[in-house]
């Protein structure tokens, strides 16, 4: 069930927030660190089209957090540019990823005329509950749109937490 999946994962934080050492790891129910890329299933409930989403940047925060594709277990860390920690304007919706998806950099999309950005699909969760970095939310898809970011296609999937009061009313 969807409720049991929510209890399957928790976070382990290493290092201080807003530091280059900060990492959020995801643990399974047994306390074992897992990779969101490989160990969290795409679907929470395939029959009902409910997906798992991992929150990277919680609502109303501005540290530019993202998955580490290079580090073991793919923790979430604060992004750097030119050796400095990155910050963004306050993020209204939760920002995260739909795991086990990929924007292929070798494929040019016919509508955007640009290749994928070599990342999982971005998810933007619009529900009312404020999440936390590393939280695994069960979401339903409401729509998609594409952005061009530095010449690459960057798909955004608009989702809502299935536990949100508005979820049953939105499709």
């Amino acid at each position: 069930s969807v409720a049991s999946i929510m209890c399957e994962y928790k976070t382990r934080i290493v290092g201080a927030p807003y530091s280059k050492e900060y990492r959020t790891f995801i643990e399974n129910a047994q306390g074992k660190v897992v990779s969101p890329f490989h160990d969290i299933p795409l679907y929470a409930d395939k029959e009902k089209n409910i997906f798992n989403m991992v929150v990277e940047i919680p609502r109303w925060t501005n540290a530019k957090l993202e998955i580490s594709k290079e580090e073991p277990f793919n923790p979430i860390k604060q992004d750097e540019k030119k050796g400095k920690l990155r910050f963004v304007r306050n993020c209204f919706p939760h920002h995260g990823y739909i795991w086990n998806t990929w924007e292929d950099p070798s494929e040019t999309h016919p509508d955007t005329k640009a290749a994928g950005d070599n990342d999982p699909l971005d998810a933007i969760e619009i529900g009312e509950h404020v999440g936390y970095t590393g939280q695994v939310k069960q979401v339903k898809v409401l729509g998609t749109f594409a952005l061009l970011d530095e010449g690459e296609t960057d798909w955004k999937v608009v989702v809502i937490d299935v536990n949100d009061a508005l979820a049953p009313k939105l499709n």
Side-chain angles (χ1 to χ4, degrees):
S1 81
V2 171
S4 68
I5 288 175
M6 289 174 25
C7 299
E8 282 186 38
Y9 302 102
K10 59 184 179 177
T11 59
R12 180 187 303 177
I13 297 172
V14 176
Y18 315 114
S19 74
K20 293 181 180 186
E21 294 76 30
Y22 173 82
R23 301 289 183 275
T24 297
F25 291 90
I26 299 173
E27 297 180 348
N28 64 15
Q30 292 74 41
K32 179 183 174 196
V33 174
V34 297
S35 165
F37 275 141
H38 307 291
D39 302 318
I40 297 175
L42 174 62
Y43 287 98
D45 186 331
K46 190 170 185 173
E47 284 184 24
K48 295 180 181 177
N49 279 326
I50 298 172
F51 295 85
N52 285 312
M53 171 201 158
V54 178
V55 175
E56 284 182 313
I57 306 172
R59 180 177 302 138
W60 309 125
T61 65
N62 66 352
K64 173 75 166 94
L65 301 173
E66 63 182 25
I67 183 143
S68 171
K69 295 183 278 188
E70 297 80 22
E71 295 179 31
F73 298 106
N74 311 107
I76 298 169
K77 66 178 189 172
Q78 190 163 353
D79 191 30
E80 295 179 46
K81 192 169 194 173
K82 297 182 181 178
K84 294 187 178 187
L85 296 173
R86 290 183 65 196
F87 292 87
V88 295
R89 292 197 168 122
N90 282 339
C91 190
F92 164 67
H94 293 94
H95 183 276
Y97 284 109
I98 303 288
W99 303 103
N100 294 309
T101 64
W102 203 257
E103 296 183 55
D104 189 342
S106 68
E107 293 286 325
T108 300
H109 194 276
D111 294 328
T112 64
K113 310 288 189 271
D117 70 355
N118 202 31
D119 281 329
L121 293 173
D122 291 332
I124 300 172
E125 199 272 311
I126 63 168
E128 68 178 29
H129 298 284
V130 176
Y132 55 89
T133 299
Q135 180 180 11
V136 180
K137 287 180 166 257
Q138 287 64 55
V139 298
K140 73 176 186 176
V141 173
L142 301 177
T144 61
F145 61 94
L147 298 177
L148 288 177
D149 184 8
E150 297 181 3
E152 298 174 325
T153 302
D154 189 6
W155 285 97
K156 308 295 182 187
V157 182
V158 181
V159 299
I160 190 163
D161 187 322
V162 296
N163 297 304
D164 192 274
L166 286 176
K169 300 174 185 176
L170 298 175
N171 289 301

